[in-house]
Amino acid sequence: MKQRKIPMRKCVVSNEMKPKKEMIRIVRSKEGEISIDPTGKMPGRGAYLSMEPDVVQKSWDQKILDRVLNDTLTDDFYQELLDYVSHQKARRELFGNGK
């Protein structure tokens, strides 16, 4: 049987190439609204982060997403992102990668 191609994306913080399913996409819409995109299909400019709390914390400390998305992100957004990534990582450890 033919092996399916796995889409790869680069983390904007660590510059590592990883499978798209192991990343979280942050999207800026045309209206300038920035949000977390769990589906990876929202329209707009996207930036990928590894699904690791320490990567999100580094992004917050160095304001990497602000530079990549050309916008100023609030501390509330970074906290929401950190909570989301921590929750998703805990789920993957609990239920495995397939869920």
Side-chain angles (χ1 to χ4, degrees):
M1 202 157 152
K2 193 173 182 182
Q3 187 90 10
R4 293 188 95 183
K5 183 179 172 192
I6 299 172
M8 302 291 278
R9 298 291 182 265
K10 185 185 268 192
C11 175
V12 296
V13 177
S14 65
N15 286 326
E16 284 183 82
M17 294 292 285
K18 291 187 175 181
K20 185 178 175 181
K21 290 187 180 220
E22 294 178 15
M23 310 283 272
I24 182 68
R25 184 173 185 246
I26 311 303
V27 65
R28 186 188 72 217
S29 66
K30 287 186 178 183
E31 293 79 35
E33 185 178 321
I34 296 178
S35 58
I36 298 170
D37 180 12
T39 62
K41 297 180 180 180
M42 291 174 69
R45 171 80 169 111
Y48 287 87
L49 288 174
S50 296
M51 196 75 81
E52 297 290 332
D54 57 331
V55 170
V56 175
Q57 189 64 50
K58 183 177 178 183
S59 169
W60 189 355
D61 294 341
Q62 297 180 4
K63 302 290 186 193
I64 293 172
L65 280 177
D66 293 30
R67 287 193 303 265
V68 170
L69 296 173
N70 293 329
D71 206 345
T72 303
L73 302 176
T74 63
D75 286 342
D76 291 338
F77 178 80
Y78 277 111
Q79 187 60 53
E80 178 186 347
L81 178 61
L82 186 60
D83 293 343
Y84 178 82
V85 168
S86 299
H87 176 75
Q88 290 298 321
K89 184 173 181 183
R91 281 190 57 166
R92 284 189 181 196
E93 288 173 359
L94 194 61
F95 297 117
N97 282 342
K99 305 270 188 256

